[in-house]
Amino acid sequence: MVEIRALVLAIDRDDDFGQKAGVEGPVIGRDACVDAALKLSLADPEDSDANVVYAAVKLYDELRESGEFDEVEVALITGHPKVGVKSDVELARQLELVLERFPADGVITVTDGAEDEQIFPIITSKVPIISSHRVVVKQSEGIETTYYIIYRYMKEILSDPEVAKVVLGIPGMILLLYGIARLIGVWYPESVKIVSATITGTILLLIGGYFFTKGFRFNVRETVAKQFVFVISVIAGSLIIVGGAINAYFRLEEYSLELIGSYPGTPLLATLIYINALNASLILGIAVMITGKVIQSYLRKDHHIWYQASALLMMPAMWVTIDLTTRYAMAILTLSDIEVFTKLLLALMDVGVAVLVGIYMRGKVRGWERVEAGASA
């Protein structure tokens, strides 16, 4: 005989006993457990939880007959229909009540599947588990376990917003957009190709954008909330660049006549003229973006403001570099021209000033709070 008190514990995590038979847990003692199982069997003959209690009572009788343990008791604890935290808290509460009535040294659990076994950590936090018995009724253990795994992951998909977006949201969006495309195709057959291309492009854009933001951990809502000034400056700078690009495209011939005195004869020459014409808008747009970043850094006391300010001061040098490079490539200028020398000297002076300002500011902002872009405030 092992001189310990053993508790045979039947577990009903989703409270079928309470919902179907009106039995309130915990149920302690052989006769009380048999009565509870009988009530559930009459209420729902197909419910396997009744067989769990019958199996627990049978095991209790066998252990008492064998005299293997010093003392043996059987009990049933029930959870809550809302399986999860609520049911597990209720099971823990009922287990405490059982242990007050019968201070067991070890527990022998009896369950009907993997779901009930999820509370084993709760049990072991209060009393050791000596053994575990699983009762399989009307289906194989593999089917029961497989069903539970599928059920668990489907429940996770439906309850977790992030997982639901990927598993359900993206396929749902694709089906929705293609459904709209089919309806438009029925109403306007002549626009089938345009609508199809538009829908396909929209889908790729949205999916690509979603994966891009997730891959680089870019939270749009958080970024806008924490870096609103910078976001506004990026939008403004982007509009300046786009506007300049469109303007340069429509005035390409005019720019060509100003630069080389004729129309561009080759695609390469046209590209160089276009880059030169876009130069001012490009530099201005980037400068607006960096200015927004500098303001954002100043407001948030970000010590990185020193090299952001340096980058802003280097924009004129960048403009000179693009202008001279494109003109030199078009053979408008040569390296010996005084204009080239003057502009290069000004660009170098600009870089020098930017570096000196950056060094000075770095010392001044050394004590500022370090706020990384995108980090939690």
Side-chain angles (χ1 to χ4, degrees):
M1 175 187 293
V2 181
E3 294 184 357
I4 64 173
R5 298 190 186 106
L7 173 66
V8 181
L9 185 66
I11 302 169
D12 174 23
R13 194 181 185 198
D14 55 359
D15 193 25
D16 284 338
F17 279 91
Q19 294 297 305
K20 298 178 181 180
V23 176
E24 294 185 5
V27 179
I28 306 172
R30 183 185 189 282
D31 293 338
C33 287
V34 170
D35 183 61
L38 182 59
K39 288 180 179 179
L40 182 59
S41 296
L42 292 174
D44 185 2
E46 295 182 355
D47 197 309
S48 61
D49 285 314
N51 296 85
V52 170
V53 177
Y54 287 135
V57 171
K58 181 175 182 295
L59 180 60
Y60 164 79
D61 291 338
E62 292 174 351
L63 292 175
R64 287 202 61 180
E65 185 178 347
S66 66
E68 186 174 348
F69 297 102
D70 185 25
E71 290 185 55
V72 183
E73 185 59 278
V74 61
L76 164 68
I77 57 175
T78 60
H80 191 274
K82 190 175 181 180
V83 175
V85 175
K86 196 165 187 177
S87 65
D88 294 346
V89 169
E90 177 62 20
L91 289 168
R93 184 189 70 82
Q94 292 187 21
L95 180 58
E96 288 281 3
L97 296 176
V98 173
L99 293 176
E100 288 177 5
R101 289 270 302 274
F102 183 78
D105 299 312
V107 171
I108 302 173
T109 61
V110 183
T111 68
D112 65 347
E115 183 175 276
D116 292 333
E117 294 172 1
Q118 296 300 302
I119 74 156
F120 282 4
I122 297 175
I123 297 174
T124 56
S125 68
K126 302 178 184 299
V127 61
I129 294 178
I130 302 172
S131 179
S132 176
H133 293 258
R134 181 186 292 189
V135 178
V136 180
V137 182
K138 292 186 179 180
Q139 67 265 346
S140 69
E141 181 178 347
I143 294 176
E144 166 74 14
T145 303
T146 303
Y147 166 78
Y148 172 71
I149 291 174
I150 295 173
Y151 168 77
R152 186 184 67 184
Y153 281 104
M154 286 302 297
K155 185 177 180 181
E156 180 181 349
I157 288 171
L158 295 175
S159 61
D160 190 331
E162 290 300 319
V163 177
K165 286 178 185 177
V166 178
V167 178
L168 299 177
I170 293 179
M173 178 195 67
I174 294 174
L175 294 174
L176 178 64
L177 291 176
Y178 269 115
I180 294 173
R182 295 288 293 179
L183 290 175
I184 295 175
V186 172
W187 294 330
Y188 305 100
E190 66 278 1
S191 63
V192 171
K193 291 184 178 180
I194 297 176
V195 172
S196 178
T198 303
I199 294 295
T200 302
T202 303
I203 290 172
L204 293 176
L205 180 65
L206 293 175
I207 294 177
Y210 179 80
F211 287 144
F212 174 81
T213 56
K214 291 300 178 183
F216 287 93
R217 301 184 182 278
F218 179 74
N219 190 314
V220 178
R221 186 179 302 174
E222 183 179 342
T223 301
V224 172
K226 293 184 177 181
Q227 303 192 49
F228 184 74
V229 175
F230 177 58
V231 171
I232 293 299
S233 68
V234 168
I235 295 173
S238 300
L239 291 175
I240 292 173
I241 294 173
V242 171
I246 296 173
N247 179 272
Y249 176 79
F250 285 113
R251 298 182 60 190
L252 183 61
E253 293 182 354
E254 182 180 340
Y255 283 122
S256 178
L257 291 174
E258 290 179 3
L259 284 174
I260 62 175
S262 62
Y263 296 111
T266 63
L268 177 59
L269 187 58
T271 301
L272 292 172
I273 295 172
Y274 180 77
I275 294 174
N276 187 274
L278 178 61
N279 187 19
S281 299
L282 178 65
I283 297 302
L284 179 60
I286 296 175
V288 169
M289 296 180 191
I290 299 176
T291 301
K293 189 64 177 176
V294 170
I295 296 173
Q296 183 76 45
S297 298
Y298 177 77
L299 294 175
R300 299 191 65 193
K301 299 299 182 182
D302 185 354
H303 77 294
H304 292 123
I305 190 174
W306 67 271
Y307 68 74
Q308 296 160 2
S310 296
L312 179 61
L313 292 175
M314 289 184 185
M315 286 296 101
M318 186 67 181
W319 180 87
V320 170
T321 301
I322 295 176
D323 182 65
L324 292 180
T325 301
T326 52
R327 287 171 179 265
Y328 178 75
M330 288 184 286
I332 297 175
L333 298 175
T334 62
L335 295 178
S336 59
D337 289 346
I338 186 65
E339 181 183 356
V340 175
F341 175 78
T342 303
K343 287 186 175 181
L344 284 176
L345 181 61
L346 291 174
L348 291 174
M349 291 175 61
D350 177 61
V351 172
V353 170
V355 172
L356 292 175
V357 170
I359 294 172
Y360 174 78
M361 290 185 64
R362 185 177 184 180
K364 288 293 183 180
V365 301
R366 190 180 299 276
W368 282 14
E369 179 185 0
R370 301 191 175 193
V371 182
E372 299 292 341
S376 299

